[in-house]
Amino acid sequence: MLTDQHLWTAPRAHHRLAGRVVVPGSKSQTNRALVLAALGDGPSILDGVLTSRDSLLMSAGLQRLGADIQSVGPSSVRVVPRLARPAGPIECGLAGTVMRFLPVVAALVPGSTQFVGDEPASRRPIGPVLNGLRQLGVEVDSDQLPFSLRAPDRLGGPEVTIDSAASSQFISALLLAGARFPRGIDLRHDGASVPSAPHIAMTCAMLADRGVTVVSDEPCHWVVRPGPIHAFDDAIEPDLTNAAVFLAAALVVGGSVTVPAWPADSIQPGAQFVGIADKMGARISRTDDSMTITAQGWQELRPIDVDLHEASELTPVVAVVASVAFGRSRIRGVAHIRGHETDRLAALAHELANLGVEIQQTDDGLDITGQGADKPHGAKFRCYADHRMAHAGALLGLVIDGIELDDIACASKTMPQFPQMWADLVQEN
């Protein structure tokens, strides 16, 4: 935790909002596109690429594995694919996509590769991916960061069975590189339901754009035939999960917030926030190129009972909105977020209760009895090195005096400019 002089006081909104926020590119799409470009059969140009800690770690890791990635514009990169054994360890930070996707890429390079990360990264689940690699003939010396893997001269397969109940990224990691395995991959999930299934659909759609077909003719089973991953110039959508915190600002304060360049038909799970906002009392306006949410503020919000199993990254923002609505809300289907950057259910329950919100953890989510924004009081709000917790604290600060975040810098994981973007939104008239 940072010392008091590093506390960030969340700005309070003293008027209805009338903001327009340009949201950076999707982290999920950026990091998948980088991996696929690095495994492609020729150079690719990626536009709208997110510049954040997670995406920079992904780029750096792929470059260590041989890819040439060069900036060709403010948010554009040119990727020239090549695979080579890295001379040093690959740094994962706290990024789930990096620690789960890159070991599979490294398995394509015979020899040893080391992976390291932030101290909390050792608590993030990664074992199923490494178990899948073992089934392909890779030697791995641990089931958590840090670890080393030794890839054989030729991978085995194609049959692999893993338990991906803790994260859909385990499935995506193996699918992204599956076409480059000598025999492809015949992948099965054996366990409880896979969370965030839209992220697997995103992976399959991006593979299809590059000429790779993923056959899934029964639940929990995916088959990728061996073959090339074609070079593909791609445009990254705005990150709709990051957009959710700005749209939620209109819900709690009142007024309207517009996000331009909203995709017409997105498979990003973050798009589900629009339906949640509608159920909680907002008015939704869609034009050809933007999404606007208009609301009357926390006094008019309705409670909600929602299953966020497919869009669990929205949990912190939805929990905050529910905490200042009147009535009992329930968030279900998100037990797996106990293994995210932090135990998000425990963190939300502790920090919101510390502000005076009536909240309890359940087996798979949160029960929240909101009593408006007048009852909660200001206090220090711990972020747990988790960007989504930072978003939650900033959102509370719009309507509650004295919310002080201990680590606004962790928002750089997906939005390095978040503090300034947030201040600009609050100050707009």
Side-chain angles (χ1 to χ4, degrees):
M1 182 182 295
L2 302 180
T3 56
D4 283 356
Q5 66 260 31
H6 293 104
L7 292 175
W8 181 77
T9 301
R12 177 74 189 265
H14 296 289
H15 54 76
R16 291 167 62 86
L17 300 179
R20 181 179 177 87
V21 181
V22 177
V23 177
S26 162
K27 177 203 70 174
S28 297
Q29 289 189 347
T30 292
N31 281 0
R32 283 165 172 78
L34 287 169
V35 169
L36 291 170
L39 295 176
D41 60 2
S44 299
I45 300 291
L46 305 179
D47 290 320
V49 169
L50 173 68
T51 300
S52 71
R53 188 183 185 215
D54 275 20
S55 59
L56 291 173
L57 286 167
M58 181 64 83
S59 291
L62 289 167
Q63 287 173 307
R64 275 198 175 273
L65 286 164
D68 181 23
I69 303 176
Q70 300 293 333
S71 174
V72 293
S75 60
S76 299
V77 297
R78 183 173 187 265
V79 183
V80 179
R82 190 173 75 91
L83 287 174
R85 185 157 56 90
I90 291 177
E91 172 62 59
C92 300
L94 195 54
T97 51
V98 178
M99 68 180 71
R100 292 160 183 161
F101 293 0
L102 288 190
V104 185
V105 177
L108 296 170
V109 185
S112 296
T113 306
Q114 293 179 298
F115 289 83
V116 298
D118 296 352
E119 187 277 329
S122 65
R123 297 190 289 272
R124 297 204 69 180
I126 189 174
V129 169
L130 303 182
N131 181 36
L133 291 179
R134 290 187 183 103
Q135 294 173 54
L136 293 170
V138 179
E139 298 177 13
V140 189
D141 66 2
S142 177
D143 281 327
Q144 62 186 37
L145 282 166
F147 65 87
S148 295
L149 63 79
R150 177 176 290 277
D153 290 337
R154 182 178 174 85
L155 293 172
E159 293 85 6
V160 173
T161 299
I162 64 172
D163 182 350
S164 197
S167 175
S168 66
Q169 289 179 0
F170 305 150
I171 299 294
S172 288
L174 291 159
L175 293 180
L176 284 168
R180 295 292 305 271
F181 300 161
R183 300 174 62 192
I185 190 167
D186 185 325
L187 178 61
R188 290 185 182 274
H189 159 70
D190 183 12
S193 63
V194 179
S196 303
H199 278 117
I200 299 176
M202 177 189 296
T203 297
C204 294
M206 294 180 73
L207 282 163
D209 287 338
R210 292 154 176 85
V212 178
T213 299
V214 181
V215 177
S216 183
D217 53 9
E218 60 178 306
C220 303
H221 184 209
W222 302 264
V223 176
V224 180
R225 304 300 180 195
I229 298 172
H230 295 314
F232 181 74
D233 294 341
D234 205 357
I236 309 301
E237 296 177 356
D239 192 311
L240 304 190
T241 301
N242 281 343
V245 68
F246 297 101
L247 296 174
L251 285 177
V252 300
V253 175
S256 66
V257 173
T258 297
V259 174
W262 193 277
D265 185 21
S266 179
I267 57 176
Q268 289 188 60
Q272 295 184 25
F273 183 75
V274 174
I276 293 168
D278 178 64
K279 291 178 181 178
M280 297 191 80
R283 179 165 56 88
I284 312 301
S285 303
R286 175 68 196 266
T287 65
D288 289 341
D289 66 348
S290 66
M291 177 66 67
T292 300
I293 284 186
T294 304
Q296 297 302 311
W298 58 266
Q299 298 90 339
E300 302 296 326
L301 288 175
R302 297 192 289 264
I304 192 168
D305 185 331
V306 61
D307 187 329
L308 290 179
H309 191 64
E310 291 191 346
S312 59
E313 291 279 329
L314 295 175
T315 300
V317 164
V318 175
V320 167
V321 177
S323 73
V324 297
F326 285 101
R328 184 182 178 188
S329 292
R330 183 169 187 191
I331 297 173
R332 296 177 285 107
V334 293
H336 59 282
I337 70 172
R338 293 188 169 97
H340 279 200
E341 282 81 344
T342 187
D343 180 339
R344 284 184 176 159
L345 295 182
L348 287 165
H350 184 273
E351 298 307 313
L352 292 175
N354 190 47
L355 305 179
V357 176
E358 188 175 326
I359 182 170
Q360 293 84 34
Q361 290 190 64
T362 65
D363 288 345
D364 69 341
L366 297 167
D367 274 342
I368 303 167
T369 302
Q371 299 182 54
D374 289 334
K375 182 182 177 185
H377 54 77
K380 293 180 183 177
F381 188 93
R382 292 181 61 198
C383 296
Y384 303 83
D386 186 339
H387 58 142
R388 303 296 181 207
M389 290 296 295
H391 297 173
L395 188 58
L396 282 166
L398 293 177
V399 290
I400 300 171
D401 286 323
I403 301 293
E404 296 181 314
L405 278 64
D406 74 331
D407 183 17
I408 191 60
C410 69
S412 66
K413 179 178 173 69
T414 51
M415 280 194 290
Q417 303 305 317
F418 175 74
Q420 188 59 55
M421 294 169 67
W422 197 248
D424 290 345
L425 174 64
V426 176
Q427 291 166 9
E428 283 190 44
N429 289 299

